[in-house]
Amino acid sequence: MALIELQDVSKLYGFGDATTLALDEVSLTINKGEFVAVMGPSGCGKSTLMNVIGLLDKPSHGQYRLDGKLVSRLSANQSAKIRRDKIGFIFQFFNLLPKLTALENVALPLTYKGMSVTKRLKIASEMLDRVGVQSREYYLPGQLSGGQLQCVAIARALVNNPQIIIADEPTGNLDSGSSRLVMELLAEIHKMGNTIIFVTHNPELTRFATRVVYMHDGGIIHDEASTIGRVATTARKVLYTIPATREEDDLAGVSLLMKALPSKSSVAKQPVIKVKKPRTIKSKAKAK
Ligand SMILES: Nc1ncnc2c1ncn2[C@@H]1O[C@H](COP(=O)(O)OP(=O)(O)O)[C@@H](O)[C@H]1O
Ligand SMILES: [Mg+2]
């Protein structure tokens, strides 16, 4: 069943000569229970797409239906309410409040629910237990490692029991061990029936996804089903050509992939992947 339905959604930033077309008539349907990886080079619109889907930002044009309800023209308050009830966010830089303990950070989204403080902290503590960092509940964010911070952020995203989890480069700032831990947590959440959309530069992480959406220049240029446990077909072609050990290499790989993929007008065709001279592309990725 369609949970997220974007139809010809565009997003413009700025105006006049300074206009950026961050999303260019994107149509995308995501069903309940999908685990979608979104890939593409820096600046191609991935975060904008996450923000639109997560109701943090409104489309400039086009329609967005969430759970069958048209949500593209809601007021800020109406959007906030739906966001609170249905969506959990996880970000690359964790976005935890530095002066609150892990426990208080996780309890924060429950504030509006009219529960007693004791009840809120109890639920938050259980959630921290679920993600394996309950022993750190009285620590401040500054006292935790990157992996622990992301687990706390996941606990906060889950505390309201949202249907949809949106994770914008959740492992972008983590070492490979912590990345795996975070992805395994997301996989568990997915198994419980949640719909998850995550952005990644790392082809390896498509192993966790049931579908991979590739973006370029504000549009979706390729969309493929993927099997859990296997690197997605298109992403794999990049993985095996470039030893992607660092974020920078992953980025180079992704921009290489984008060059090899068909243009938007021929999305239906099977992509022809020609991989050559990663070094040239790497320097371009760096310059960006
Ligand atoms: N708030 C904003 N104001 C102006 N331009 C923006 C804003 N957010 C994003 N953009 C621009 O929109 C394009 C897409 O950005 P973004 O969605 O952040 O890409 P990605 O997440 O793929 O790196 C970029 O050119 C970026 O500079
Ligand atoms: Mg981004």
Side-chain angles (χ1 to χ4, degrees), residues 13 20 22 41-48:
Y13 287 113
T20 305
S42 243
C44 72
K46 304 180 298 295
S47 294
T48 306

Side-chain angles (χ1 to χ4, degrees), residues 9-271:
V9 164
S10 296
K11 178 70 191 179
L12 293 120
Y13 287 113
F15 50 89
D17 287 349
T19 305
T20 305
L21 184 58
L23 291 179
D24 185 4
E25 299 193 346
V26 168
S27 294
L28 175 69
T29 300
I30 296 175
N31 292 324
K32 274 195 179 123
E34 287 197 84
F35 196 160
V36 184
V38 177
M39 300 189 78
S42 243
C44 72
K46 304 180 298 295
S47 294
T48 306
L49 180 66
M50 294 306 105
N51 293 346
V52 167
I53 291 176
L55 298 176
L56 285 171
D57 217 339
K58 268 193 218 178
S60 312
H61 303 285
Q63 292 199 330
Y64 174 20
R65 280 177 203 281
L66 177 61
D67 234 349
K69 183 179 157 99
L70 192 64
V71 293
S72 31
R73 302 281 172 269
L74 297 182
S75 70
N77 275 346
Q78 288 169 317
S79 293
K81 185 167 184 322
I82 297 179
R83 212 159 53 221
R84 234 164 38 192
D85 293 339
K86 290 188 190 278
I87 301 164
F89 287 94
I90 300 162
F91 302 95
Q92 180 177 2
F93 296 105
F94 324 120
N95 294 14
L96 297 169
L97 297 181
K99 290 191 176 153
L100 298 186
T101 62
L103 189 65
E104 289 163 340
N105 265 289
V106 175
L108 213 52
L110 297 171
T111 310
Y112 76 98
K113 285 206 162 159
M115 284 176 200
S116 69
V117 179
T118 322
K119 177 103 192 277
R120 293 200 302 254
L121 294 179
K122 184 169 177 285
I123 295 175
S125 179
E126 284 163 5
M127 204 48 83
L128 282 169
D129 185 29
R130 216 176 122 190
V131 301
V133 286
Q134 196 185 30
S135 62
R136 299 286 188 272
E137 63 186 13
Y138 296 113
Y139 285 51
L140 294 171
Q143 300 169 307
L144 299 173
S145 72
Q148 289 168 339
L149 287 169
Q150 199 59 301
C151 288
V152 174
I154 292 175
R156 181 188 55 186
L158 290 177
V159 80
N160 269 339
N161 212 6
Q163 265 180 291
I164 304 168
I165 303 285
I166 295 178
D168 193 351
E169 300 194 40
T171 66
N173 212 22
L174 301 180
D175 58 52
S176 58
S178 305
S179 294
R180 182 159 298 276
L181 188 83
V182 161
M183 290 311 298
E184 276 164 7
L185 255 170
L186 290 180
E188 244 173 67
I189 297 160
H190 172 246
K191 272 194 209 139
M192 297 181 68
N194 293 70
T195 306
I196 302 185
I197 308 163
F198 73 106
V199 173
T200 186
H201 285 295
N202 185 349
E204 260 293 331
L205 300 187
T206 59
R207 281 184 196 283
F208 292 89
T210 59
R211 175 178 177 186
V212 187
V213 167
Y214 301 87
M215 293 184 73
H216 191 55
D217 277 351
I220 291 172
I221 54 162
H222 191 58
D223 187 345
E224 68 183 358
S226 183
T227 309
I228 290 180
R230 296 175 65 173
V231 177
T233 315
T234 308
R236 191 191 313 143
K237 289 175 179 156
V238 174
L239 187 67
Y240 291 151
T241 0
I242 301 170
T245 47
R246 293 177 303 143
E247 183 79 349
E248 212 175 84
D249 294 331
D250 292 339
L251 274 171
V254 169
S255 80
L256 188 63
L257 172 68
M258 292 311 134
K259 281 174 205 293
L261 281 170
S263 67
K264 219 177 155 188
S265 54
S266 57
V267 166
K269 281 192 211 149
Q270 196 56 24

